[in-house]
Amino acid sequence: MPLVIEGVLTTENLDGSLHFAPMGPVVNEDFTQWQIKPFQTSSTFQNLKHRPRGVFHVVDDCFLLAAAATGTKLEVAAHFESEYGWILDDNCHWYALNFDKFDLSGPRAAACGKVVEKGVTRPFWGWNRAKHAVLEAAILATRKHMLPREQIELEWNWLVTRVEKTGGKQEHLAMQLLARDMNLPYQVPNSF
């Protein structure tokens, strides 16, 4: 049974520099077959057309996910492996992928790939409710052009409550970044 995991995909820009984007690939149970669905207008898709490879990262940094979802430029520590591409230094697990099939019949391309290498950088300790709320808010931000404003505001208010109850500084700053991108209200508590 396939499942969707959430994380960050790095690809190489045409000039060889790092590009990162949030991604929710569909994977099989043994994590050997992957499918991603970037919009054909996205930088990720354009990069994959040029070099059909990328590195998927399981991360516990929800601010990085929020920045990737909003297109916020961040200086992130990463190193380049000529065989695989860009690997983020701060990750829990990474999977180097080669993509060999592309279905271009819809606005979102379906790119199928296989794992060519993988690694564990450090343990994944899990997420609290606030980090999960940031993840959902980041997904919401990537769909703001497709959803009615009322639905966005309803979901946003529900997610804000989770961050207010269980979030730390990283989660609050991530929500502030997402709020700006979606033109929604959010106030980081004074204690941070």
Side-chain angles (χ1 to χ4, degrees):
M1 168 73 79
L3 64 125
V4 175
I5 57 174
E6 302 291 342
V8 174
L9 180 73
T10 58
T11 56
E12 298 164 59
N13 289 316
L14 297 181
D15 65 3
S17 63
L18 167 69
H19 174 74
F20 64 94
M23 196 64 59
V26 177
V27 299
N28 63 353
E29 288 184 9
D30 61 359
F31 288 75
T32 57
Q33 303 290 321
W34 295 61
Q35 182 183 68
I36 63 170
K37 294 182 179 181
F39 284 98
Q40 290 192 42
T41 56
S42 70
S43 296
T44 297
F45 176 72
Q46 297 305 314
N47 291 344
L48 289 175
K49 274 183 25 184
H50 184 69
R51 290 185 189 99
R53 67 181 188 180
V55 181
F56 181 81
H57 302 80
V58 175
V59 297
D60 53 13
D61 181 345
C62 67
F63 187 83
L64 177 63
L65 282 172
T70 60
T72 301
K73 301 295 182 196
L74 281 183
E75 291 294 323
V76 294
H79 61 281
F80 186 77
E81 297 282 342
S82 61
E83 296 175 52
Y84 316 123
W86 287 99
I87 300 174
L88 299 176
D89 291 346
D90 186 17
N91 73 77
C92 299
H93 307 265
W94 58 270
Y95 299 86
L97 307 166
N98 280 343
F99 296 95
D100 56 359
K101 293 183 209 162
F102 291 87
D103 177 354
L104 307 179
S105 61
R108 294 177 71 175
C112 296
K114 295 181 177 145
V115 174
V116 294
E117 188 62 63
K118 60 185 175 180
V120 176
T121 304
R122 60 182 170 77
F124 177 74
W125 293 106
W127 284 30
N128 64 10
R129 292 173 68 202
K131 285 187 185 292
H132 282 285
V134 170
L135 170 64
E136 291 299 328
I139 293 169
L140 191 62
T142 66
R143 288 162 174 65
K144 68 184 177 191
H145 62 286
M146 302 184 312
L147 299 174
R149 184 68 179 181
E150 299 79 32
Q151 181 180 350
I152 291 170
E153 290 174 359
L154 181 67
E155 290 185 36
W156 176 259
N157 291 334
W158 189 86
L159 296 167
V160 164
T161 302
R162 274 53 193 171
V163 175
E164 288 173 345
K165 288 182 177 181
T166 66
K169 184 175 182 179
Q170 182 187 83
E171 293 81 15
H172 284 285
L173 293 175
M175 287 299 274
Q176 182 181 48
L177 182 66
L178 292 164
R180 261 184 282 175
D181 182 70
M182 293 187 284
N183 197 25
L184 292 166
Y186 190 78
Q187 181 68 40
V188 175
N190 292 333
S191 57
F192 296 114

